[in-house]
């Protein structure tokens, strides 16, 4: 019990610090200190410049395929995560009526990077580069599926907008693909050190900027907790409790995973993470009720301050 409480306390402090940054940036937005158009600028800088630089420099410098021959299991595991969550959600919201189209993606499409990375950076500062590498390989499959499935569920039924493949591709995904191509072709040895060092320099600012952007985005939302409380509780039940519990059980059948605490942390954080904030952007563009989506996502972020430390502590107590 003492170990469990100690692990919980360590992770809770990290999540609480991130929560303070999110609350502060959200407060700045609500007070009008940061204008609405400034939020887009911050988010675009994080997504289009800083995060891709972090991904590129991390993969170029850290990925050694000869030593990590099973790297491909990480993007595959992301597909399994999403497939399992999708199946559970379809059953859980079978009788939710028309709202199920918005509730289903919220209940299994997680924030795989913006929330996970800063938590790991605070918990494992000396091993963060390795964790980040694993996380970026996981995201390789997660990001395209997030936009594909999210848009499928969140767009209005009468919408006849043609599907655009380019929506699945983003600067982080391009950075992932380019870096992997350079690694596996051996061309990374010819990439000038200046380019890698510049990408590393910009990438060092990615995590705090992305965390600030996350809070600023949440700060723009109109919240109606009472109106959406019931459906929010169902989403919280699956996303923050059922999903991590499923991951915890699944890990018991993979003995070799128990000897790698970094991968163990990655999987339990991915399972316990709150919904992806990009669903907010998708709902504003395609949904009939972005207010519901935003309110439920904020509810999940409030609860995950306590649920994430609890699941990490339980996983570490069982498997480490």
């Amino acid at each position: 019990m003492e170990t469990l409480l100690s692990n919980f306390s360590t992770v809770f402090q990290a999540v609480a610090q991130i929560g303070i940054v999110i609350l502060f940036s959200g407060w700045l937005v609500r007070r009008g200190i940061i204008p609405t158009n400034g939020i887009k600028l911050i988010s675009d800088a994080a997504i289009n410049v800083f995060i891709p630089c972090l991904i590129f420099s991390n993969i170029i410098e850290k990925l050694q395929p000869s030593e990590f021959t099973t790297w491909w299991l990480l993007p595959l595991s992301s597909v399994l995560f999403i497939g399992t969550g999708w199946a559970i959600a379809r059953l859980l919201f079978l009788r939710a009526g028309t709202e199920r189209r918005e509730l289903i993606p919220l209940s299994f499409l997680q924030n795989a990077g913006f929330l996970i990375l800063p938590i790991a950076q605070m918990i494992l500062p000396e091993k963060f580069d390795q964790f980040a590498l694993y996380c970026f390989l996981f995201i390789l499959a997660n990001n395209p599926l997030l936009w594909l499935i999210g848009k499928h569920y969140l767009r209005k039924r009468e919408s006849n907008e043609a599907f655009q493949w380019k929506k699945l591709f983003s600067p982080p995904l391009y950075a992932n693909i380019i870096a992997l191509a350079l690694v596996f072709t051996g061309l990374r040895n010819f990439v000038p050190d200046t380019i890698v060092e510049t990408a590393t320099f910009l990438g060092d600012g990615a995590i705090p900027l992305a965390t600030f952007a996350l809070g600023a985005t949440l700060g723009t939302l109109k919240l109606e907790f009472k109106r959406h409380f019931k459906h929010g509780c169902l989403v919280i039940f699956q996303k923050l409790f059922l999903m991590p519990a499923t991951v915890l059980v699944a890990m018991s059948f993979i003995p070799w995973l128990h000897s790698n605490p970094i991968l163990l942390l990655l999987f339990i954080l991915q399972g316990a993470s709150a919904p992806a904030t990009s669903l907010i952007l998708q709902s504003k563009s395609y949904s009939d009720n972005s207010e519901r989506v935003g309110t439920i996502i904020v509810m999940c972020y409030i609860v995950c301050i306590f649920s994430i430390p609890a699941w990490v502590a339980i996983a570490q107590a069982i498997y480490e």
Side-chain angles (χ1 to χ4, degrees):
M1 179 60 72
E2 183 177 347
T3 301
L4 186 68
L5 292 176
S6 177
N7 291 341
F8 176 88
S9 177
T10 299
V11 183
F12 178 77
Q13 290 179 36
V15 176
Q17 290 179 50
I18 295 166
I20 291 173
V21 175
I22 292 174
L23 286 173
F24 177 63
S25 57
W27 177 80
L28 291 175
V29 171
R30 288 191 174 275
R31 296 289 294 180
I33 298 173
I34 295 180
T36 304
N37 57 350
I39 300 169
K40 187 177 187 306
L41 178 62
I42 295 171
S43 297
D44 286 349
I47 295 172
N48 297 329
V49 180
F50 288 84
I51 291 292
C53 284
L54 178 61
I55 293 173
F56 181 82
S57 61
N58 188 274
I59 291 178
I60 287 291
E61 294 182 321
K62 302 298 179 183
L63 180 58
Q64 300 296 336
S66 60
E67 299 175 7
F68 187 27
T69 57
T70 56
W71 68 270
W72 53 272
L73 287 174
L74 287 170
L76 177 61
S77 66
S78 179
V79 176
L80 294 176
F81 261 71
I82 289 178
T84 302
W86 196 350
I88 295 173
R90 287 177 65 85
L91 292 175
L92 184 64
F93 296 106
L94 192 62
R95 298 183 179 180
T98 57
E99 290 88 351
R100 72 193 299 264
R101 292 187 61 84
E102 292 171 339
L103 300 176
I104 286 177
L106 292 175
S107 63
F108 70 92
L109 292 174
Q110 78 271 22
N111 187 327
F114 279 17
L115 182 62
I116 299 303
L117 289 169
I119 294 175
Q121 190 175 43
M122 293 182 182
I123 299 175
L124 299 172
E126 297 179 356
K127 299 180 179 179
F128 174 70
D129 286 345
Q130 191 68 37
F131 178 93
L133 174 63
Y134 292 163
C135 188
F136 296 144
L137 292 172
F138 183 93
I139 290 174
L140 183 62
N142 180 272
N143 273 0
L145 290 174
L146 168 63
W147 283 94
L148 179 65
I149 296 172
K151 183 175 180 180
H152 168 73
Y153 278 103
L154 294 176
R155 66 179 180 179
K156 298 177 182 179
R157 285 193 170 188
E158 64 273 13
S159 174
N160 295 318
E161 181 183 352
F163 179 77
Q164 297 178 346
W165 283 102
K166 66 180 182 180
K167 293 286 187 180
L168 302 183
F169 294 88
S170 62
L173 181 60
Y174 285 126
N176 230 321
I177 294 172
I178 292 171
L180 287 172
L182 291 172
V183 168
F184 285 103
T185 59
L187 292 177
R188 69 170 162 187
N189 297 324
F190 300 96
V191 178
D193 292 340
T194 303
I195 292 179
V196 177
E197 290 170 2
T198 301
T200 302
F201 173 71
L202 290 172
D204 287 341
I207 304 305
L209 184 63
T211 305
F212 193 89
L214 171 59
T217 301
L218 296 177
T220 65
L221 302 176
K222 179 183 178 182
L223 306 176
E224 293 287 348
F225 292 115
K226 184 176 181 180
R227 181 181 177 187
H228 304 297
F229 182 77
K230 179 180 177 181
H231 287 146
C233 287
L234 286 175
V235 171
I236 288 171
F237 172 68
Q238 176 174 341
K239 186 68 211 70
L240 302 184
F241 292 95
L242 197 55
M243 286 298 294
T246 302
V247 172
L248 205 62
V249 171
M251 288 194 296
S252 66
F253 296 98
I254 313 174
W256 60 267
L257 186 61
H258 309 163
S259 61
N260 191 327
I262 300 178
L263 276 177
L264 185 72
L265 179 64
L266 172 69
F267 286 132
I268 196 63
L269 283 177
Q270 292 290 351
S273 180
T277 51
S278 60
L279 293 172
I280 298 173
L281 303 178
Q282 293 183 44
S283 69
K284 288 182 177 181
S285 298
Y286 311 122
S287 176
D288 291 316
N289 193 347
S290 60
E291 175 195 284
R292 180 188 297 118
V293 172
T295 299
I296 292 175
I297 285 179
V298 171
M299 290 175 63
C300 289
Y301 275 85
I302 293 172
V303 175
C304 80
I305 294 174
F306 303 95
S307 62
I308 288 178
W311 285 112
V312 172
I314 292 170
Q316 291 175 337
I318 295 175
Y319 297 121
E320 291 188 5

